[in-house]
Amino acid sequence: MSETPIHRADVKTAHQDLHSEQGALRGEHPGRSRNPLIKVADLAWLEFEKPDLDRAEIFARDFGFQVAARTESELWLRGTFAGSPCMVIRRGRTSRFIGPAFRAAEPADLDRLARATGSDVRDADVPGGGKAVDLLDPSGFPVRVVHCGEQLSALPEQQPRLLNFGTAHRRTNTTQRPPREPSRIQRLGHVVLETRVFARALDWYLDTLGMIVSDFLFLDGQRERGPTMAFIRCDRGSVPADHHTLAMHLGPGTGYVHSAYQVTDLDSIAAGGEYLKERGYQRSWGIGRHIQGSQLFDYWRDPDHFMLEHFADGDLFSTDVEPGWAPMSTSGLAQWGPPATRDFLGASPSPAKVREVLHALRGDNELDVERLLGLMKAMNS
């Protein structure tokens, strides 16, 4: 596979304060693979299991999803944009995250991936049909790479509000009254995962799926040990892609942290949040604006305690933008907004959390006492 040029004289880098005050030091992780197997085009959907599909559908509609397909054992959810569904929830004995599905740029990428990994190309169980290759990442997450057949057609949108700025008066003789209704999800944006084998998992996604890093975070006083979080995007060459399609961080657990879904604008986030609050759902954190990625955000918990994010106005980077480097801290999560909650940070003490930490410290992974203390310090900084 030919490599996309990444050095041009007119390109800003992280050192020139495009998106981070710091760039890489000599010898640090380059944030991309020299020769990846393929380059995925996007995140296709996320897969979950839940015992109560009726309850899952009620929350999904309140959060702003549309139902693409429903059977006795499966619930496929979608946004308003044309393309593939955002999420599939299958009936299971317990509520759990299964794994992500990424979209291959071309059908031939599935053949290339299957040959290189000793896997098979099989029929994908998705509305409209398609093909898939099933893999396992170093954290143990099933990862599916798919190429879909028939695409879902677009649905009606929530229209962005016309805003008046200074002397630019786009709206006259009319008022602003955003309806109190669900935020209308447009598409799946990203998923965030926790892993005990961060470095191995990071390299796997870069080498296998051709993804590239937008921003690295490191622990205070431990930069020489390498990053502990990465915001990772798809490499579409000169076509800009979301700042991150996948984010991963080192931690004592292995699992889903949250997933994010694009909506129209801030009014959609805020009015949709009021709608959710009136129906008794729990806000985890928000409303605010992130630093890495710049998204306007609002986080909520579903009835099964999974965290989902409404977002708007995120950064888009082409392949030319180099990784930024920044210290990991709670205060560095947002430019403005309320302080990050303990619920969002996953910092609420519990016997299960203690057992998770002890198990991780005794296991063969990348978490040790120094790393753990650094993570705890970052959580309170």
Side-chain angles (χ1 to χ4, degrees):
M1 180 180 295
S2 62
E3 295 188 54
T4 304
I6 61 172
H7 296 292
R8 292 205 320 247
D10 60 341
V11 170
K12 289 185 177 181
T13 71
H15 306 276
Q16 296 168 307
D17 198 27
L18 176 61
H19 64 109
S20 175
E21 294 183 0
Q22 302 181 46
L25 303 177
R26 184 181 295 275
E28 287 187 317
H29 200 298
R32 61 185 71 201
S33 174
R34 283 184 170 273
N35 190 27
L37 289 178
I38 65 168
K39 293 184 178 183
V40 293
D42 205 351
L43 193 57
W45 63 79
L46 303 178
E47 303 195 6
F48 294 83
E49 283 185 357
K50 295 185 178 185
D52 191 338
L53 294 189
D54 291 335
R55 185 175 71 169
E57 182 177 343
I58 291 171
F59 171 79
R61 291 185 182 277
D62 287 342
F63 192 74
F65 291 106
Q66 306 290 321
V67 173
R70 173 75 195 266
T71 68
E72 188 66 26
S73 59
E74 289 186 348
L75 172 64
W76 287 88
L77 303 173
R78 61 162 298 173
T80 58
F81 284 3
S84 66
C86 296
M87 183 188 298
V88 57
I89 304 173
R90 296 189 173 91
R91 191 182 302 280
R93 296 181 62 184
T94 61
S95 294
R96 66 189 185 108
F97 173 66
I98 303 301
F102 292 88
R103 179 167 60 85
E106 300 175 359
D109 286 341
L110 296 182
D111 296 324
R112 185 180 301 110
L113 190 61
R115 287 195 302 271
T117 61
S119 306
D120 296 320
V121 179
R122 63 171 189 79
D123 290 334
D125 179 19
V126 58
K131 298 291 183 179
V133 172
D134 290 332
L135 306 171
L136 200 67
D137 80 359
S139 303
F141 287 116
V143 174
R144 183 163 292 170
V145 181
V146 301
H147 193 276
C148 295
E150 181 182 346
Q151 299 291 296
L152 298 172
S153 58
L155 298 176
E157 295 281 340
Q158 279 175 327
Q159 294 304 308
R161 298 284 148 183
L162 288 176
L163 303 178
N164 290 330
F165 295 103
T167 59
H169 301 154
R170 301 174 63 201
R171 177 176 55 83
T172 59
N173 296 331
T174 184
T175 59
Q176 291 278 37
R177 301 291 186 269
R180 194 69 60 87
E181 65 182 8
S183 305
R184 204 168 300 173
I185 301 300
Q186 295 174 326
R187 64 183 179 94
L188 167 62
H190 63 259
V191 64
V192 180
L193 304 175
E194 180 178 356
T195 175
R196 300 170 186 163
V197 290
F198 171 80
R200 277 186 277 163
L202 171 67
D203 287 343
W204 186 88
Y205 282 96
L206 273 52
D207 292 337
T208 308
L209 304 187
M211 305 182 81
I212 56 180
V213 175
S214 297
D215 279 287
F216 282 120
L217 301 184
F218 57 88
L219 294 176
D220 184 38
Q222 298 185 35
R223 182 165 180 171
E224 74 285 349
R225 293 193 63 183
T228 49
M229 185 166 188
F231 297 87
I232 310 164
R233 70 187 186 274
C234 296
D235 183 356
R236 298 180 187 167
S238 61
V239 178
D242 286 332
H243 172 272
H244 56 285
T245 302
L246 168 69
M248 291 191 302
H249 68 79
L250 177 67
T254 297
Y256 170 95
V257 179
H258 76 259
S259 51
Y261 304 86
Q262 182 177 289
V263 299
T264 301
D265 57 14
L266 181 58
D267 275 296
S268 177
I269 291 175
E274 291 301 303
Y275 183 90
L276 288 168
K277 186 169 64 175
E278 289 173 351
R279 277 150 184 77
Y281 298 110
Q282 176 194 351
R283 174 180 268 126
S284 182
W285 181 36
I287 297 171
R289 186 182 280 278
H290 281 306
I291 293 179
Q292 277 81 20
S294 303
Q295 299 95 337
L296 295 162
F297 66 81
D298 197 18
Y299 293 89
W300 293 84
R301 293 281 185 183
D302 76 0
D304 296 282
H305 209 61
F306 289 108
M307 190 189 303
L308 293 87
E309 175 190 3
H310 285 142
F311 81 92
D313 191 34
D315 292 338
L316 298 170
F317 289 172
S318 67
T319 192
D320 303 301
V321 178
E322 299 175 3
W325 287 71
M328 198 174 189
S329 69
T330 298
S331 61
L333 291 172
Q335 302 175 45
W336 58 263
T341 63
R342 295 187 68 82
D343 178 70
F344 173 80
L345 296 171
S348 300
S350 68
K353 179 66 71 174
V354 172
R355 288 194 297 270
E356 187 177 66
V357 170
L358 292 176
H359 179 73
L361 290 175
R362 293 168 182 161
D364 180 19
N365 54 64
E366 297 166 22
L367 192 76
D368 54 33
V369 172
E370 182 185 29
R371 284 303 216 192
L372 179 62
L373 292 175
L375 290 168
M376 294 172 64
K377 180 180 178 181
M379 196 175 295
N380 294 286
S381 63

